C-alpha cells in the first residue's frame, strides 16, 4: 500500500517572514558567558530589511570602486569606514532591546543611540551579528 507523502508548505515555512519578525536573545558577558539581564531582539540575515541594507551597502561600495578606477586608483576601505559599516550593519538588525542601562538609567532604543553603544561596545555588536546569522533562531514556528 502506498503512503501519501506529506507536502512541504512554503507559506508555513517562510524564513524571510520569521527573520523579519525577529529573535530575542540575552546578552552575555564576553569571556565568562555570565548573564547580563539585557535582551536584544534582532532581525535575521534573511529579513527583507537586512537584505535591502546589504544590497544598498554593496552598491555604494561598488560605486566607490568604480570612481577610484576612473581615477586610475585602487579603492581601499579605511579601518574607520569598515567599523562604521559594521556598526550600521548591526544597527539595521536590531528591532528593540530591554534591560540596558547606563549609569543606572534605562536606555531607550533608537537607531542613533544603538549606533553609539555598538561603537563603544563592540562585544554587543558581535553578539548581535552572531545571533542574526544563526538561521536556527528564525525557524518558522
Amino acid at each position: 500500500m502506498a503512503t501519501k507523502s506529506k507536502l512541504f508548505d512554503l507559506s508555513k515555512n517562510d524564513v524571510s517572514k520569521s527573520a523579519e519578525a525577529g529573535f530575542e536573545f540575552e546578552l552575555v558577558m564576553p569571556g565568562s558567558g555570565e548573564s547580563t539581564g539585557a535582551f536584544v531582539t534582532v532581525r535575521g540575515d534573511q529579513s527583507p530589511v537586512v537584505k535591502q541594507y546589504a544590497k544598498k551597502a554593496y552598491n555604494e561600495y561598488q560605486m566607490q570602486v568604480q570612481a577610484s578606477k576612473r581615477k586610475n586608483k585602487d579603492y581601499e576601505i579605511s579601518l574607520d569606514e569598515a567599523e562604521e559599516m559594521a556598526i550600521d550593519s548591526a544597527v539595521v538588525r536590531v528591532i528593540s532591546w530591554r534591560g540596558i542601562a547606563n549609569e543606572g538609567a534605562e536606555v531607550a532604543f533608537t537607531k542613533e543611540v544603538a549606533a553609539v553603544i555598538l561603537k563603544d561596545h563592540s562585544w554587543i555588536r558581535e553578539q548581535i551579528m552572531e545571533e542574526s546569522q544563526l538561521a536556527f533562531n528564525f525557524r518558522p514556528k
Side-chain angles (χ1 to χ4, degrees):
M1 178 188 288
T3 59
K4 186 176 181 179
S5 64
K6 184 177 176 184
L7 298 175
F8 180 74
D9 190 337
L10 292 172
S11 68
K12 293 180 181 173
N13 293 282
D14 187 343
V15 176
S16 179
K17 189 175 180 180
S18 298
E20 187 62 35
F23 172 78
E24 183 180 68
F25 71 96
E26 182 177 10
L27 290 172
V28 295
M29 290 302 298
S32 70
E34 180 183 338
S35 292
T36 63
F39 294 84
V40 181
T41 302
V42 294
R43 292 178 178 90
D45 278 354
Q46 296 302 311
S47 155
V49 169
V50 173
K51 285 177 153 182
Q52 181 181 10
Y53 166 79
K55 187 182 290 187
K56 179 181 175 215
Y58 177 78
N59 288 337
E60 288 173 1
Y61 172 78
Q62 288 293 28
M63 287 179 7
Q64 293 285 358
V65 168
Q66 293 302 319
S68 292
K69 281 184 180 179
R70 285 191 293 276
K71 296 176 184 175
N72 291 324
K73 294 182 180 179
D74 289 331
Y75 178 71
E76 290 189 32
I77 191 166
S78 72
L79 287 176
D80 288 340
E81 289 172 314
E83 182 179 31
E84 188 177 320
M85 287 172 59
I87 292 166
D88 290 347
S89 185
V91 168
V92 78
R93 287 166 165 75
V94 178
I95 295 172
S96 64
W97 64 43
R98 61 187 175 91
I100 294 179
N102 190 23
E103 296 183 9
E106 187 170 359
V107 177
F109 172 77
T110 67
K111 290 190 178 291
E112 296 77 20
V113 169
V116 172
I117 288 174
L118 298 182
K119 180 176 183 170
D120 293 344
H121 303 278
S122 61
W123 64 273
I124 297 174
R125 182 174 72 226
E126 290 166 7
Q127 289 181 40
I128 287 167
M129 295 303 292
E130 183 178 311
E131 293 295 334
S132 178
Q133 293 167 357
L134 290 173
F136 185 76
N137 288 341
F138 304 96
R139 68 192 180 283
K141 294 176 172 76

